[in-house]
Structures are given as structure tokens and as C-alpha cells.
């Protein structure tokens, strides 16, 4: 098989600059959330007018989740939702919770998995705000819930830079995948009772992928993260922090697979079923909050390494 030199999400530069992010952080904390929020409308307008690839990707995605042709206002609101979650991250990472209303659905499923196994995988996507999920633990005094992020090395460098620019003291541990000791680190963190978060809706060109139907069109999801959960014999819980309106987030936890009792004979079938369950959950939450999925590239473009 021909291996693509780079996946679409990695080939496309992320919009953002750490210098301006630091400026935005200082300005936001100085003015406060309400007074600094109007800046977001200009940022969303910039994305709409100047970032053609993101605009086209938003149109493609929204046409599938909305079931109709999106207008410019729909795309603008999509960008504004993204900008809002980034802006809110400044305040959530700095423990300024007073302006937020955060509802939690399904926490009993997460608590049950933790009580049974200790360390648990949290499988999410670039859907809504991961920071809102971490804020729930800090806001409710659950400092015992240690959350680590496992992600591709290039993405890990970007995330580390972003979090350090906002508030390095509150940044989660980021485990870069693809290194020799990555799996060992994940294993140790799970053994220590940590929650290991993985955003499983992106892959590298070297990843094994499986093809499935997502929003009515063929798409590919990487197998590696699911195989890692199976080999570690842990349950995994789908997570998302949906932005509903200004200052209001809705956190969802939903256990969608449990590998604790899977035999080696049935492992591959269980992995494929878990991937299908993940795709169903992701599609369901995309329909529930259509403006929350922030993969601004052609998600449905088939890489050459996909498997049927």
C-alpha cells in the first residue's frame, strides 16, 4: 500500500499563534470574560473570510450533520463556537468558574468504571471542550481524579505550547504517543488510578485504520488507541464537553466498551465493535450539538492506508 506523507489534519497548519494567545490570555484575564468576549466575533469573522480550507471543511461537515446546505451564518456560528471554547479555556484553566454553568450527565458510569478498575480510558474527540471536563473534577474538589492526555507527538507539542501559554500550573500531563516508552507510561498511569484521555477522531498516515460509515459517508478511524485499551484490559468511557451557549457546558460520560474480560481469541472482534460503538456515539453527539465538532479539514477523505 502507498502511505500518505501526512494526514490532512497534520498537513494543515493549525490557526493560532502562541504570542497572540498569550496576549489574548492577559487581555481576557484583565478585562474579564464578559468584556473580552466581543473579540471572538471578529476572530470568527476572520476564519469565515480568510481561511478557505476551514470554511469548506465546515460546510462539508455541517451539510451532513444538519441534513441541509449550510449558509454562511451556520459556518460563522461554527467558528464562533470554536473560538468560544478556546476563550473559555483561559478562564477554566485559571480556576475562574463563577461565570460557568456546567451540567454533568452519566457521571455514575464513570464512577462505576473507576471503582471497578481504577485507571480508565476516556475516549473523546475534537468535540466541544476537554477543559470543561477537567474543570468538573477541580470545581467539585475531586483532585484525586488525575487526568492525563495521550496524543500524537506533533499534536502533543502543540497542546503543551498552548496550555503553557494559558496556565502551565494547571496543564495536564501529556503523554506523546509513538515513542518507545509511550505504552509503558500509559500502563503506569492506569496502574496509578489515572484517567487517560484520548481524542480518537484523528490518525497518522502510518496508523492502521478501519473504514466505516459515519454520517452516511465512508470514513476512517485509527485502530491503535482501541487496541491499546484492549491490551490493557480496561473499560473505556466516551466523554465530551458540549458548548451549549455562552457560559453553559454539558458534560457527558458514556461507557461504550469494557475489555476487562475479553479473551485473546475474541479481542479483534471486540476492538472492531468498540470502534463502531465509538463512531455511533460521536455521530450522536455531533447531531445533538452540531456546532461543536472542530475538525476543520476533510475528515471523509480516504487515506491510502485504510483497511476494509
Amino acid at each position: 500500500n502507498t502511505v500518505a506523507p501526512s494526514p490532512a489534519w497534520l498537513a494543515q497548519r493549525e490557526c493560532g499563534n502562541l504570542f497572540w494567545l498569550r496576549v489574548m490570555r492577559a487581555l481576557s484575564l484583565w478585562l474579564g470574560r464578559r468584556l473580552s468576549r466581543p473579540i471572538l466575533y471578529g476572530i470568527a469573522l476572520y476564519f469565515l473570510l480568510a481561511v478557505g480550507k476551514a470554511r469548506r471543511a465546515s460546510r462539508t461537515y455541517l451539510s451532513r450533520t444538519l441534513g441541509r446546505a449550510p449558509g454562511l451564518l451556520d459556518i460563522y456560528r461554527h467558528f464562533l463556537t470554536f473560538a468560544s471554547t478556546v476563550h473559555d479555556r483561559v478562564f477554566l484553566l485559571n480556576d475562574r468558574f463563577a461565570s460557568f454553568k456546567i451540567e454533568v450527565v452519566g457521571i455514575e458510569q464513570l464512577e462505576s468504571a473507576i471503582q471497578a478498575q481504577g485507571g480508565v480510558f476516556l475516549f473523546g474527540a475534537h468535540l466541544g471542550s476537554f477543559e470543561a471536563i477537567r474543570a468538573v473534577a477541580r470545581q467539585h474538589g475531586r483532585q484525586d481524579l488525575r487526568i492525563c492526555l495521550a496524543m500524537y507527538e506533533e499534536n502533543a507539542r502543540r497542546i503543551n505550547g498552548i496550555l503553557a501559554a494559558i496556565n502551565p500550573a494547571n496543564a495536564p500531563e501529556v503523554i506523546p504517543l509513538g515513542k518507545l516508552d509511550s505504552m509503558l507510561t500509559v500502563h503506569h498511569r492506569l496502574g496509578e488510578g489515572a484517567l487517560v484521555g484520548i481524542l480518537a477522531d484523528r490518525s497518522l498516515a502510518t496508523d492502521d485504520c478501519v473504514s466505516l460509515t459515519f454520517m452516511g459517508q465512508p470514513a476512517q478511524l485509527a485502530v491503535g488507541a482501541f487496541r491499546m485499551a484492549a491490551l490493557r484490559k480496561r473499560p473505556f468511557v466516551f466523554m465530551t464537553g458540549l458548548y451549549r451557549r455562552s457560559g453553559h457546558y454539558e458534560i457527558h460520560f458514556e461507557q461504550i466498551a469494557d475489555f476487562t474480560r475479553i479473551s485473546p481469541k475474541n479481542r479483534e472482534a471486540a476492538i472492531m465493535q468498540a470502534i463502531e460503538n465509538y463512531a455511533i456515539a460521536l455521530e450522536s453527539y455531533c447531531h445533538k450539538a452540531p456546532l461543536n465538532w472542530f475538525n476543520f479539514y476533510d475528515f471523509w477523505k480516504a487515506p491510502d492506508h485504510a483497511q476494509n
Side-chain angles (χ1 to χ4, degrees):
N1 291 336
T2 302
V3 177
S6 182
W9 69 266
L10 191 55
Q12 181 172 313
R13 286 181 58 87
E14 301 281 354
C15 294
N17 180 286
L18 292 183
F19 170 76
W20 289 111
L21 185 58
R22 291 187 180 98
V23 171
M24 184 66 179
R25 172 191 179 275
L27 190 62
S28 296
L29 294 178
W30 178 54
L31 291 174
R33 184 175 176 276
R34 184 174 62 85
L35 292 180
S36 58
R37 184 170 166 77
I39 300 171
L40 305 181
Y41 296 93
I43 293 173
L45 183 61
Y46 167 80
F47 269 74
L48 181 69
L49 298 178
V51 188
K53 287 185 178 180
R55 185 175 62 248
R56 288 189 293 273
S58 174
R59 179 179 287 112
T60 297
Y61 158 69
L62 289 177
S63 68
R64 288 172 181 164
T65 192
L66 296 176
R68 59 174 174 81
L72 287 178
L73 182 59
D74 294 309
I75 299 171
Y76 175 79
R77 291 177 60 226
H78 192 192
F79 291 145
L80 181 60
T81 301
F82 172 61
S84 296
T85 62
V86 174
H87 182 242
D88 286 346
R89 187 182 296 171
V90 172
F91 300 94
L92 293 170
L93 272 171
N94 284 278
D95 293 337
R96 296 195 180 185
F97 303 125
S99 300
F100 296 96
K101 178 182 179 182
I102 302 179
E103 299 181 56
V104 184
V105 180
I107 189 66
E108 65 282 351
Q109 296 190 42
L110 177 61
E111 293 283 5
S112 176
I114 292 171
Q115 290 174 9
Q117 292 296 320
V120 172
F121 282 101
L122 295 177
F123 272 56
H126 292 79
L127 180 74
S129 171
F130 185 75
E131 257 338 296
I133 297 171
R134 292 184 63 234
V136 169
R138 297 200 305 277
Q139 189 178 18
H140 293 279
R142 291 298 306 270
Q143 283 77 13
D144 58 311
L145 290 181
R146 179 183 178 188
I147 302 179
C148 307
L149 283 173
M151 59 182 60
Y152 297 107
E153 189 171 2
E154 177 66 22
N155 220 15
R157 281 195 294 268
R158 293 173 179 172
I159 292 295
N160 275 329
I162 290 171
L163 295 177
I166 296 175
N167 185 359
N170 254 342
E173 177 184 3
V174 178
I175 304 170
L177 296 177
K179 291 189 172 184
L180 291 176
D181 62 345
S182 298
M183 296 303 101
L184 185 61
T185 302
V186 169
H187 177 72
H188 284 162
R189 296 298 176 266
L190 289 169
E192 295 165 355
L195 309 180
V196 177
I198 299 176
L199 304 184
D201 56 342
R202 291 188 181 180
S203 64
L204 292 179
T206 53
D207 288 338
D208 289 335
C209 289
V210 61
S211 180
L212 44 72
T213 299
F214 183 72
M215 295 189 184
Q217 297 292 326
Q220 283 73 41
L221 287 174
V223 178
F226 298 88
R227 182 166 287 128
M228 178 170 59
L231 290 173
R232 299 279 76 81
K233 293 187 175 181
R234 300 278 175 165
F236 77 77
V237 176
F238 187 90
M239 61 173 181
T240 183
L242 301 178
Y243 178 92
R244 305 306 280 170
R245 57 184 178 273
S246 180
H248 184 190
Y249 286 87
E250 196 176 87
I251 310 302
H252 290 264
F253 297 104
E254 180 182 342
Q255 182 170 325
I256 56 177
D258 187 353
F259 293 115
T260 54
R261 296 181 178 86
I262 298 299
S263 67
K265 178 182 177 181
N266 298 323
R267 182 182 295 147
E268 287 303 312
I271 290 171
M272 293 304 110
Q273 184 61 59
I275 295 173
E276 183 176 338
N277 291 347
Y278 171 85
I280 291 171
L282 177 57
E283 181 171 342
S284 172
Y285 286 107
C286 283
H287 286 306
K288 183 180 180 68
L291 303 179
N292 273 250
W293 200 37
F294 306 136
N295 269 334
F296 294 113
Y297 69 95
D298 189 356
F299 182 79
W300 287 267
K301 183 179 180 181
D304 294 329
H305 61 287
Q307 300 175 345
N308 293 320

